[in-house]
Amino acid sequence: MPNGRPGDHPAVDILVHGISSGFPDDIFETVRDLAQHPKYPLISERVDELLWKYWPSWRNANPDLDEVRRQLQALREELEQAE
């Protein structure tokens, strides 16, 4: 996960600072839940990239949040299969 201050990267905002970073509550909670999984390091870079790509900020005013949800669900299923 990238290091930084609030606002530097959405993964840092969500996982380190507990800030939603503009994402809806369900995505915020899903990311925090995934990060608690013991095998989260297997997918952490892809979660970081997904959050960066679809970050609802000045760089992406209308992100496809349904796509974020779909991809997070696929990553959750991957973690469950890795157990």
Side-chain angles (χ1 to χ4, degrees), residues 39-65:
K39 297 204 177 214
Y40 179 72
L42 296 173
I43 64 164
S44 66
E45 286 185 29
R46 287 182 283 161
V47 171
D48 293 350
E49 291 168 6
L50 176 67
L51 294 175
W52 181 258
K53 180 178 179 181
Y54 292 99
W55 188 10
S57 66
W58 59 268
R59 57 184 296 278
N60 192 359
N62 296 304
D64 185 351
L65 297 176

Side-chain angles (χ1 to χ4, degrees), residues 11 15-16 22 24 31 34 48 52 67 73-74:
L15 298 175
V16 175
V31 171
L34 286 172
D48 293 350
W52 181 258
E67 181 61 22
Q73 181 59 36

